[in-house]
DNA sequence: TCCCGGGATGAAAACCATATCATGAAAGCC
DNA sequence: GGCTTTCATGATATGGTTTTCATCCCGGGA
């Protein structure tokens, strides 16, 4: 409860004694200077005499003055806040991304406003409408080619960068070279098993990342001169359960033993391993498998999971970097940054699996 | 590249044809109304004639007008943005918290500005100084009793809530009842092993959560009528490596077999299990162990890890709820919300471990 | 016919910090 | 000693929106 100041002197309206938020004028009065001087003390201290400056600082302290960021922004047209719009913020993947973005933002003197599409209709603006005018730029990640928000940003002339998107609408973009990553992983698998034993257990069929990985898998197999049976490439979802289902399908047909599997992500791989384990089948003894994303879990489970590491933290940091760069140089041509994933081989591909029977030749 | 408008007519300064950000005045001109009417269309549409409203909306659309949030905030003194200041944003723990907070914020029409102490000195304001005037409130989590930011918020009269903190400075607070959680877990362990075989592998010695958990562990043991040897309660850090070190210490002395361990968090538990496994010791056959936090990993590793689930997502959501409530009712007495963790028993405590030798009696 | 009420709209104040320009004083120069 | 510089500071325009108050016009009641 704020102390009720003395209630005498009712004829002195300009500055009531105890306002909720003191303004620069209150500080100026308290220090006996003009508002211009207060502003200078706060922004370019070297322009003001030391004695005055310290008097002003005392007044600031005493009143608990915090410059009104709105008034500041109105003049400077900058809030030092960037919006980061993600499909979701849950899970290690986004956590990493956020960490990279946060670090870069802090280093560049910016702040991050996060927004997630969690539960909002896919084509909405993630509730960002009201703050569009508040942020200096937007880093946007979309899983499906949905760019309602991107279009709004463009029409409002707000700098934007797109993370990992199929069709960067002439905006800056960061992409992950899923093709290269999946190719690497597939080559690795093919060094252990025959192309005819290779499988791809993908994520959602409409997911761009997943599609790209599937395509790279197919192309690599073809490059090894092999026709790929359609049922060797499956899609489902990025989930543990789908991995289990996939594995059970393979087990039922007796095709898991000796197989080399590329999973759409680590989740799926864990599901596959889990379901296989229930049948006594363990990698790399009975089959080999590579995941995607290199989640922290990959090195904690036994056997440790070979996986393709996607540098999400870098992606977040680069996105912020690109965005800040664009804010400072609005007329640059569109920039594109591509990040290359790297294969991290672990126990699940440490050796070639036992073959149930010699390859028919 | 923006289209360069016709360059004739150099004598008409009031509103250059294509400004970067159209203002409400531009919209008003375009629609042939006053700015007051435009504002009304946007804020209380029922006060304006339908025909006029639609004309204004067309103009808004045409110009890609986005209200300047700074000017708005200057008047309304609200940004609908809340700051969420965390010690770190990495890892599942914070990810969960963030998810809960984000969901609640969205539901209440707010946005979240995240800030982490990552790399900043412990007593700094996390670089939040510049945006203090921009946010409507702050949710703050501190691991150590550091409240520089809290003090600043208080002196600037910015609503604040403290997450999981020892000394809520008369601010609203959310706490996790670590004591109850650890007591539950310890009781569970004591149903499987003798009190003399119980160990606590804690986190950082100065960490409040860890201290509380240690204390509950001790009290529970004492309640079971047992003196607890000092070396049964250790502290280190919240890390996998510390868990490994702790386990190796126990193994060296031949005390791991038959032990019942409460780990300060899941990380530590994983480290212990990992180090034990290297020696062929596996829970629950050779020892039993309970973690803390119930990370997703707990149910994915084999054996699955018993753990104490801390409802971080709820904590985040409640924090935002409390904060918004305080913003709307600034004169409420300080609120305190306590969240109770729940034990999730899994395989690592599925049965009593084999005892190396009968207890000396 | 006159007046009143109310719906629709406009004019202008207020919000607060920054930046430009102006002013005053002190210091340096020939 | 009168001049120009330089330094410290003050006065003021500016930014864009919300909101209050005033105005205008129209229709209905007396």
């Amino acid at each position: 409860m704020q102390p009720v100041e003395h209630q005498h002197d009712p004829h002195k309206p300009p500055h009531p004694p105890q306002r909720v938020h003191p303004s620069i004028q209150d500080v100026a009065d308290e220090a006996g200077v003009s508002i211009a001087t207060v502003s200078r003390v706060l922004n370019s201290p070297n322009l003001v005499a030391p004695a005055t400056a310290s008097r002003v600082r005392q007044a600031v302290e005493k009143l608990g003055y915090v410059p009104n960021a709105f008034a500041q922004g109105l003049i400077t047209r900058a809030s030092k806040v960037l919006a980061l719009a993600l499909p979701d913020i849950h899970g290690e993947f986004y956590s990493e991304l956020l960490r990279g973005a946060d670090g870069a933002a802090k280093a560049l003197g910016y702040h991050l406003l996060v927004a997630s599409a969690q539960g909002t209709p896919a084509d909405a603006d993630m509730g960002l409408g009201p703050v569009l005018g508040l942020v200096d730029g937007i880093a946007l990640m979309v899983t499906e080619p949905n760019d309602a928000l991107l279009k709004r940003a463009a029409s409002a002339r707000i700098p934007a960068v797109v993370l990992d998107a199929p069709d960067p609408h002439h905006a800056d973009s960061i992409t992950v070279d899923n093709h290269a990553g999946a190719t690497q992983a597939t080559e690795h698998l093919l060094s252990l098993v025959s192309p005819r034993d290779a499988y791809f257990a993908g994520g959602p069929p409409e997911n761009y990342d997943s599609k790209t990985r599937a395509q790279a898998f197919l192309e690599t197999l073809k490059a090894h001169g092999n026709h790929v049976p359609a049922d060797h490439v499956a899609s489902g979802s990025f989930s543990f359960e789908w991995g289990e289902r996939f594995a059970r399908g393979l087990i039922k047909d007796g095709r898991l033993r000796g197989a080399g599997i590329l999973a759409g992500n680590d989740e799926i791989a864990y599901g596959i391993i889990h379901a296989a384990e229930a049948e006594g089948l363990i990698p790399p003894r009975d089959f080999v498998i590579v995941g995607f994303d290199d989640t922290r879990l990959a090195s904690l489970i036994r056997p440790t999971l070979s996986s393709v590491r996607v540098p999400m933290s870098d992606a977040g940091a680069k996105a912020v970097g690109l965005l800040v760069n664009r804010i400072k140089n609005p007329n640059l041509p569109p920039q594109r940054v591509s990040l290359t994933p790297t294969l991290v081989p672990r126990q699940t591909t440490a050796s070639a699996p036992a073959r149930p029977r010699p390859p028919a030749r």
Side-chain angles (χ1 to χ4, degrees), chain A:
Chain A
M1 66 202 74
Q2 48 269 68
V4 178
E5 213 83 344
H6 319 288
Q7 307 208 334
H8 62 206
D9 203 16
H11 49 282
K12 198 193 132 203
H15 293 299
Q18 181 79 345
R19 34 202 313 168
V20 186
H21 288 293
S23 80
I24 198 171
Q25 181 67 247
D26 300 312
V27 177
D29 291 354
E30 175 76 25
V33 297
S34 77
I35 61 167
T37 299
V38 177
S39 176
R40 274 188 283 255
V41 170
L42 268 32
N43 299 310
S44 4
N46 52 315
L47 289 184
V48 47
T52 317
S54 99
R55 200 151 29 99
V56 168
R57 263 188 279 270
Q58 243 175 294
V60 166
E61 191 72 24
K62 173 172 174 193
L63 299 178
Y65 170 71
V66 170
N68 183 313
F70 301 115
Q72 276 178 319
L74 197 51
I75 294 280
T76 62
R77 301 200 147 278
S79 62
K80 296 286 184 178
V81 174
L82 306 177
L84 181 60
L86 304 173
D88 194 355
I89 52 171
H90 196 214
E92 195 179 336
F93 189 78
Y94 296 105
S95 175
E96 272 284 302
L97 177 70
L98 197 50
R99 184 171 64 104
D102 178 72
K106 199 193 303 284
L108 293 164
Y110 280 79
H111 297 270
L112 241 40
L113 184 86
V114 299
S116 76
Q118 263 194 96
T120 34
D123 59 339
D125 63 0
M126 302 187 191
L128 273 178
V131 288
L132 267 190
L134 186 63
V135 299
D136 294 348
I138 299 185
L140 178 63
M141 178 159 182
V142 288
T143 40
E144 299 144 49
N146 142 43
D147 44 12
L149 184 53
L150 196 54
K151 282 206 190 101
R152 275 204 70 184
S155 100
R157 294 165 202 87
I158 296 172
V161 1
V162 179
L163 265 155
D164 198 16
D167 171 24
H169 242 290
H170 306 295
D172 296 333
S173 66
I174 310 263
T175 53
V176 171
D177 192 345
N178 280 297
H179 197 280
T183 301
Q184 241 184 101
T186 309
E187 291 285 3
H188 180 54
L189 285 174
L190 293 184
S191 72
L192 299 170
V193 304
S194 135
R196 82 190 57 195
D197 291 323
Y199 295 86
F200 177 71
E206 74 284 0
N207 181 278
Y208 183 71
D209 289 347
S210 191
K211 277 193 291 194
T212 312
R213 292 169 191 175
Q215 200 187 336
F217 174 82
L218 279 171
E219 285 173 13
T220 308
L221 252 61
K222 287 203 182 113
H224 280 248
N226 241 73
H227 169 72
V228 184
D231 66 346
H232 279 220
V233 177
S235 57
S237 68
F238 282 137
S239 71
F240 191 87
E241 289 71 25
W242 155 238
E244 290 182 307
R245 275 213 309 284
F246 178 85
R248 280 197 290 264
L250 246 47
I251 291 167
K252 184 158 54 71
D253 305 343
R255 297 190 293 177
L256 181 58
R257 199 181 286 274
I261 305 177
L262 176 60
N265 74 351
D266 282 0
E267 289 276 314
I268 297 172
Y270 300 138
I272 291 173
I273 292 171
H274 184 213
E277 197 178 60
E279 304 287 323
L281 298 172
I282 293 177
R285 191 190 66 197
D286 303 305
F287 65 103
V288 293
I289 183 167
V290 175
F292 225 103
D293 288 351
D294 191 29
T295 48
R296 231 175 53 81
L297 187 39
S299 55
L300 288 181
I301 60 160
R302 303 300 128 159
T304 53
L305 176 67
S306 300
S307 189
V308 178
R309 169 152 181 66
V310 176
M312 288 318 290
S313 169
D314 290 0
K318 286 247 168 67
V320 167
L322 223 54
L323 193 49
V324 171
N325 193 28
R326 161 126 338 245
I327 290 167
K328 294 187 173 150
N329 314 70
N331 294 322
L332 247 41
Q335 312 273 307
R336 315 226 158 170
V337 173
S338 177
L339 300 172
T340 308
T342 54
L343 174 69
V344 182
R346 295 204 184 85
Q347 291 173 1
T348 57
T349 55
S351 58
R355 306 291 302 283
R357 48 179 162 70
R361 67 171 78 122

